């Protein structure tokens, strides 16, 4: 098969991987030799019409797979064109695209061929060749195989900026139903191993920065050589939304456990896409993309706004705890806890200001900066460039009081957020 045909098949097959953002890596450039950079404008992002990130050369090593996961287009029983790259072909493609300024890094995943160890050896081989044979300094994200030999996972972290292991589905029951050949305990064990490697390498590098040595008598103290970094961009994971019966409450609780248990940098949510010749266990239609969007908003509340998972999970019976599609999670929380508002912008602590609908981290920091010198007035709110209709019912300051707005039974209806039109990819011509 010609290389271009392989690229068409394996780049298309990789579009279902959402976890390809390139943030969090160490700064590297080619000033001391090699090729590529992870700094400044070195990494760019672009998005497909359905919102998926395709910032890097994002391909599969192969879409052959010995597993038969019901939700996966590449499952062994799927009737799709198959292709496979050799290690040298992926290396050459990456360097060629980089030299033509088409990409700034590589996102590489793969179906399982022969065995988990064999597949992982191939993935590590690509990263090793790029780093050691060609001095590639650009970004590398490897999707790793959870039941591969731990030594292969450890070696992958020496070459890749970020490693990820897909948790696949939010619940153990869902994974057992739709991907019985995969094991939730094995996936989490591999995540734990990566977490330990990342934490150990980070601690060793911090100790090395503080230490100093005298290499020869009467010589000056110098810093010892820093230990090699291990996946400086951390690890991430991805879970499929809407393929099984898990509700948003299950997804949020699982994400919270992954963040606290394994210190993940990101959990990505991928709305299930119906696939050809699917089994009756899968839904016939995809969940609305706005559900995926609401989950990302809830994820940000946990990571940057101080919300606990149990505060965001909607009330209701198991299987019915769905986030509102009409209101973002923070607005929904505020509407359900009106007794905690209005918040006085001149006296409320930062933690409470972050819970006000319409106020982001930067807006809160601006308010706190002004508050050091004088009282906040209504004119200050107008300069924030935030959605005023969402903000004003929940705050008060000099010159502004929401009155009895919070008692309005129609307030929730008035604050329904209209759905944005579907994004359209800009044409090149």
């Amino acid at each position: 098969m010609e290389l271009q045909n392989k690229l068409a098949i394996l780049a298309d097959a990789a579009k279902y991987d959402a976890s390809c953002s390139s943030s969090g890596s160490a700064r590297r450039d080619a000033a001391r030799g090699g090729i590529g950079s992870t700094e400044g404008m070195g990494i760019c992002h672009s998005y497909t019409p359905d919102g998926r990130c395709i910032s890097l050369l994002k391909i599969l090593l192969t879409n052959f797979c010995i597993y038969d996961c019901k939700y996966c287009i590449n499952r062994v029983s799927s009737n799709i064109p198959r292709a496979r790259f050799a290690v040298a072909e992926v290396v050459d493609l990456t360097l060629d695209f980089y030299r033509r300024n088409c990409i700034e890094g590589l996102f590489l995943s793969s179906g399982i061929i022969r065995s988990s160890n064999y597949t992982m050896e191939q993935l590590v081989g690509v990263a090793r060749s790029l780093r050691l044979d060609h001095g590639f300094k650009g970004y590398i994200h490897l999707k790793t195989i959870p039941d591969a030999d731990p030594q292969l996972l450890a070696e992958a972290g020496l070459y890749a900026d970020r490693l990820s292991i897909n948790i696949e589905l939010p619940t153990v029951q869902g994974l057992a139903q739709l991907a019985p050949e995969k094991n939730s305990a094995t996936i989490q064990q591999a995540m734990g191993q990566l977490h330990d490697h990342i934490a150990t390498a980070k601690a060793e590098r911090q100790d090395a920065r503080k230490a100093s040595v005298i290499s020869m008598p009467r010589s000056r103290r110098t810093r010892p050589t820093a230990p090699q970094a291990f996946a400086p961009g951390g690890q991430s994971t991805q879970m499929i939304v809407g393929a099984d019966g898990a509700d948003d409450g299950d997804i949020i609780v699982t994400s919270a456990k992954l963040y606290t248990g394994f210190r993940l940098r990101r959990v990505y949510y991928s709305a299930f896409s119906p696939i050809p010749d699917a089994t009756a266990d899968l839904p016939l239609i995809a969940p609305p993309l706005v559900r995926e969007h609401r989950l990302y908003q809830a994820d940000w509340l946990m990571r940057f706004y101080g919300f606990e998972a149990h505060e965001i999970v909607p009330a209701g019976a198991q299987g019915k705890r769905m986030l509102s599609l009409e209101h973002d999670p923070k607005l929904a929380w505020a509407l359900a806890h009106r007794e905690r508002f209005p918040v006085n912008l001149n006296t409320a602590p930062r933690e409470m200001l972050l819970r006000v609908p319409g106020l982001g981290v930067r807006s809160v920091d601006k308010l706190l900066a002004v508050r050091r010198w004088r009282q906040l007035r209504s004119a200050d709110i107008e300069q924030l460039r935030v959605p005023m209709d969402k903000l004003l019912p929940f705050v008060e300051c000099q010159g502004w009081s929401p009155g009895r707005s919070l008692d309005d039974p129609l307030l929730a209806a008035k604050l329904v957020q209209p759905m944005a039109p579907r994004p359209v990819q800009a044409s090149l011509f």
Side-chain angles (χ1 to χ4, degrees):
M1 182 181 289
E2 291 184 358
L3 187 63
Q4 189 164 349
N5 292 335
K6 290 184 184 180
L7 186 60
I9 293 172
L10 295 174
D12 182 72
K15 67 185 178 185
Y16 298 99
D17 273 304
S19 55
C20 65
S21 78
S22 54
S23 60
S25 183
R27 291 186 173 184
R28 288 192 307 272
D29 59 42
R32 298 179 181 176
I35 183 173
S37 169
T38 60
E39 295 185 48
M41 299 174 63
I43 300 297
C44 57
H45 298 84
S46 59
Y47 296 86
T48 60
D50 62 355
R52 296 175 194 278
C53 175
I54 55 166
S55 58
L56 312 173
L57 173 57
K58 185 179 170 184
I59 54 175
L60 299 189
L61 186 70
T62 177
N63 62 346
F64 287 99
C65 190
I66 60 176
Y67 290 164
D68 200 25
C69 305
K70 296 178 181 177
Y71 49 80
C72 183
I73 188 72
N74 300 318
R75 67 192 186 280
V76 66
S77 60
S78 179
N79 183 24
I80 58 170
R82 304 283 183 173
R84 177 184 171 184
F85 281 127
V87 169
E89 288 177 321
V90 178
V91 172
D92 291 343
L93 275 174
T94 304
L95 296 175
D96 185 46
F97 276 117
Y98 182 83
R99 290 188 175 111
R100 287 190 285 159
N101 201 29
C102 296
I103 56 104
E104 299 294 339
L106 172 68
F107 174 91
L108 185 61
S109 184
S110 180
I112 310 297
I113 44 176
R114 297 191 192 180
S115 68
S116 298
N117 282 345
Y118 177 78
T119 307
M120 196 64 216
E121 286 172 359
Q122 300 287 298
L123 294 172
V124 172
V126 171
R128 183 195 304 120
S129 179
L130 281 170
R131 293 289 193 230
L132 302 186
D133 299 337
H134 301 279
F136 183 68
K137 304 289 181 65
Y139 184 85
I140 298 178
H141 181 158
L142 291 184
K143 187 66 70 70
T144 56
I145 315 298
D147 51 350
D149 190 318
Q151 290 187 347
L152 288 170
L153 297 181
E155 186 178 1
L158 300 179
Y159 308 125
D161 294 278
R162 176 170 287 185
L163 300 175
S164 58
I165 299 174
N166 280 359
I167 196 168
E168 308 285 353
L169 293 163
T171 64
V172 175
Q173 296 81 1
L175 191 67
Q177 177 193 358
L178 299 180
E181 294 158 300
K182 295 186 175 178
N183 185 288
S184 179
T186 302
I187 293 172
Q188 297 202 29
Q189 184 180 15
M191 286 181 171
Q193 291 167 355
L194 292 185
H195 168 257
D196 292 343
H197 281 304
I198 293 170
T200 301
K202 188 175 181 181
E204 289 176 350
R205 289 174 66 84
Q206 288 176 341
D207 291 342
R209 280 196 289 269
K210 298 175 184 175
S212 61
V213 296
I214 300 176
S215 56
M216 296 181 66
R218 300 182 180 178
S219 64
R220 291 183 177 180
R221 287 184 175 274
T222 59
R223 288 182 178 177
T225 303
Q228 188 170 357
F230 184 94
Q235 64 168 320
S236 59
T237 191
Q238 176 179 337
M239 66 174 75
I240 302 170
V241 175
D244 61 351
D247 62 20
D248 290 347
D250 292 324
I251 295 171
I252 293 169
V253 169
T254 299
S255 297
K257 289 179 180 176
L258 294 174
Y259 280 127
T260 55
F262 304 117
R263 298 292 179 189
L264 297 192
R265 294 297 293 266
R266 287 292 302 273
V267 176
Y268 292 88
Y269 309 96
S270 178
F272 168 70
S273 298
I275 54 178
D277 305 320
T279 71
D281 293 335
L282 293 173
L284 295 176
I285 59 174
L289 276 179
V290 69
R291 182 185 176 193
E292 182 183 290
H293 181 59
R294 295 294 185 228
L295 286 168
Y296 275 114
Q297 289 177 319
D299 188 279
W300 275 63
L301 292 185
M302 289 191 292
R303 292 193 295 140
F304 301 113
Y305 288 78
F307 281 79
E308 299 288 341
H310 66 85
E311 296 180 286
I312 308 171
V313 172
Q318 188 87 15
K320 305 291 184 184
R321 301 168 301 170
M322 305 298 286
L323 294 171
S324 168
L325 300 183
E326 297 178 330
H327 304 116
D328 67 69
K330 188 158 74 163
L331 178 57
W333 179 85
L335 288 169
H337 297 82
R338 300 187 194 194
E339 73 281 0
R340 302 184 65 169
F341 297 93
V343 167
N344 190 311
L345 295 179
N346 284 305
T347 58
R350 186 175 190 274
E351 294 75 16
M352 192 60 209
L353 292 176
L354 286 172
R355 290 174 177 253
V356 175
L359 289 184
V361 175
R362 287 186 178 180
S363 299
V364 168
D365 289 341
K366 288 179 182 177
L367 292 175
L368 292 175
V370 175
R371 229 167 66 172
R372 293 174 186 164
W373 303 99
R374 61 174 173 80
Q375 292 281 297
L376 290 164
R377 299 184 287 267
S378 56
D380 297 316
I381 305 177
E382 295 171 1
Q383 295 180 5
L384 285 177
R385 297 183 181 179
V386 298
M388 303 301 287
D389 55 340
K390 196 161 64 170
L391 171 66
L392 291 178
F394 298 95
V395 297
E396 62 183 5
C397 63
Q398 278 189 11
W400 170 252
S401 171
R404 299 184 64 82
S405 300
L406 291 171
D407 299 329
D408 185 354
L410 299 178
L411 180 61
K414 292 178 180 176
L415 294 177
V416 169
Q417 296 162 319
M419 301 293 178
R422 292 177 64 84
V424 177
Q425 180 69 53
S427 173
L428 291 175
F429 306 99

